[in-house]
Amino acid sequence: MSGNRQTDTMTEQPTNSQSLTDDQRWRIAMAKDRRYDGAFVTGVHSTGIYCRPSCPARAPLRRNVRFYASAQDAEAAGLRACKRCSPHTQSAEEACVLAAIAAIREQGAMTLDQLAELTGYSPAHFQRLFKRTVGLSPAAFARALREERVRGALQEGSSVTQALYDAGYSAPSRFYADTKGRLGMGASDWAKGGEGRTIHWSVIETSLGDMLVAATDRGVCCLSFGEGEDELRSRFPKAELVPAGEAFAALFAEVVAAVEQPGSDSAHIPLDVQGTAFQQRCWEALRTIPPGETRSYGEQAAMLGNPKASRAVGSANGANHIAVLIPCHRVVPASGGVGGYAYGPEIKAELLRREGVDKP
């Protein structure tokens, strides 16, 4: 939920696993991203065991963790294999999926027939196997990988056009066709951390308390409670922040109305958000949950085609900076209750009550 300010890593992948930093490995392990199983192992020196990145065991303290390239390296350091995730073994299916991922990273998008020939499975069976393991189809995985390569190149200072070609797009139009209709800033907005963007903002009094609203000329980029300019600047450190003027009065009035009556028609309010491909898929799924209904994390993950990705879904929801309009308040624990929320369980419960959910 929004109360979990964790960084999702499901699609934040560099070109190859050897270029991962320890900070990236730690975020991958916290997200339990199965696509990195085999790329490295996590050694927990307080317990003397090592695990796969996707191990479902409780997260260790960062200070007790070291990362190793292989099970052999971890065992040479005196660690033993985790009995829960068996990092020293690999099923034939896992080996085939990892081989396909390596091929896609090296060659780019491949047809199902090519992947089937590589792995020895039928195209239909391998499609199901890959999606069950990774959470995306092979084609969607290749697209997400290319988009992340674009983002990485832009953050390193490449021009937009050069970044697109380096990532494997035959023309800029192909990138925009792939990303058309998604929540999210355009390719150029990844460059230099959003430098050059102007964000108009205001703190508005509502029945739920003071509410921070911020927008670019494309749409709302932040909506939060109990926050102000300092928090906005921490999210957009290189953007120009200016108090909202008359030009944004109508938009902000629509935002306030949507918050005072959550569940009212707010789909027309434009949004300008920045996130990884996986985060954006999670946020789009949130917007399909009807007002007055809730979903568990597992149910939201199932909406994305991977029921086991509930932890990664929670992390993606936690990266959402636009409360109510991207309704992460509609996701609650399967065990019952309201669950966590960045702006307090009271506000979350009240939002649900106003939508007609009395007892989540």
Side-chain angles (χ1 to χ4, degrees), residues 131-170:
K131 190 168 185 179
R132 184 175 69 243
T133 303
V134 175
L136 299 169
S137 69
F141 176 85
R143 287 195 300 271
L145 183 59
R146 285 203 298 179
E147 291 167 26
E148 293 307 319
R149 285 173 174 167
V150 170
R151 190 180 83 162
L154 289 170
Q155 289 177 330
E156 291 171 3
S158 298
S159 69
V160 172
T161 301
Q162 189 61 48
L164 295 179
Y165 284 124
D166 288 347
Y169 287 96
S170 58

Side-chain angles (χ1 to χ4, degrees), residues 97-309:
V97 170
L98 289 174
I101 288 173
I104 292 171
R105 285 178 175 159
E106 169 121 6
Q107 303 177 36
M110 301 174 66
T111 67
L112 271 178
D113 286 340
Q114 289 173 321
L115 292 172
E117 184 177 354
L118 173 70
T119 60
Y121 289 102
S122 71
H125 180 76
F126 184 74
Q127 170 98 334
R128 291 192 295 271
L129 172 62
F130 192 97
K131 190 168 185 179
R132 184 175 69 243
T133 303
V134 175
L136 299 169
S137 69
F141 176 85
R143 287 195 300 271
L145 183 59
R146 285 203 298 179
E147 291 167 26
E148 293 307 319
R149 285 173 174 167
V150 170
R151 190 180 83 162
L154 289 170
Q155 289 177 330
E156 291 171 3
S158 298
S159 69
V160 172
T161 301
Q162 189 61 48
L164 295 179
Y165 284 124
D166 288 347
Y169 287 96
S170 58
S173 59
R174 291 304 313 152
F175 173 82
Y176 295 111
D178 280 354
T179 58
K180 182 180 179 181
R182 291 204 188 144
L183 297 173
M185 298 182 178
S188 60
D189 298 306
W190 289 111
K192 300 181 181 178
E195 184 177 358
R197 299 298 300 275
T198 299
I199 295 177
H200 305 260
W201 67 281
S202 182
V203 174
I204 303 171
E205 184 178 346
T206 74
S207 61
L208 293 172
D210 289 345
M211 179 177 72
L212 169 67
V213 185
T216 67
D217 56 358
R218 297 181 182 179
V220 176
C221 62
C222 185
L223 192 164
S224 60
F225 297 96
E227 296 186 338
E229 183 177 6
D230 289 344
E231 289 81 5
L232 184 63
R233 191 170 298 282
S234 70
R235 291 184 178 132
F236 303 97
K238 295 185 179 180
E240 180 186 6
L241 305 184
V242 298
E246 188 63 29
F248 284 79
L251 174 62
F252 284 18
E254 290 184 350
V255 172
V256 171
V259 170
E260 295 290 3
Q261 292 186 311
S264 58
D265 183 18
S266 61
H268 65 286
I269 297 176
L271 305 183
D272 188 9
V273 295
Q274 172 178 300
T276 69
F278 181 77
Q279 287 171 338
Q280 291 182 44
R281 290 177 64 227
C282 288
W283 299 337
E284 288 166 349
L286 288 171
R287 300 187 85 196
T288 68
I289 302 174
E293 296 185 17
T294 61
R295 300 287 187 272
S296 68
Y297 294 101
E299 287 171 333
Q300 186 188 353
M303 294 166 67
L304 302 175
N306 187 0
K308 296 182 179 180

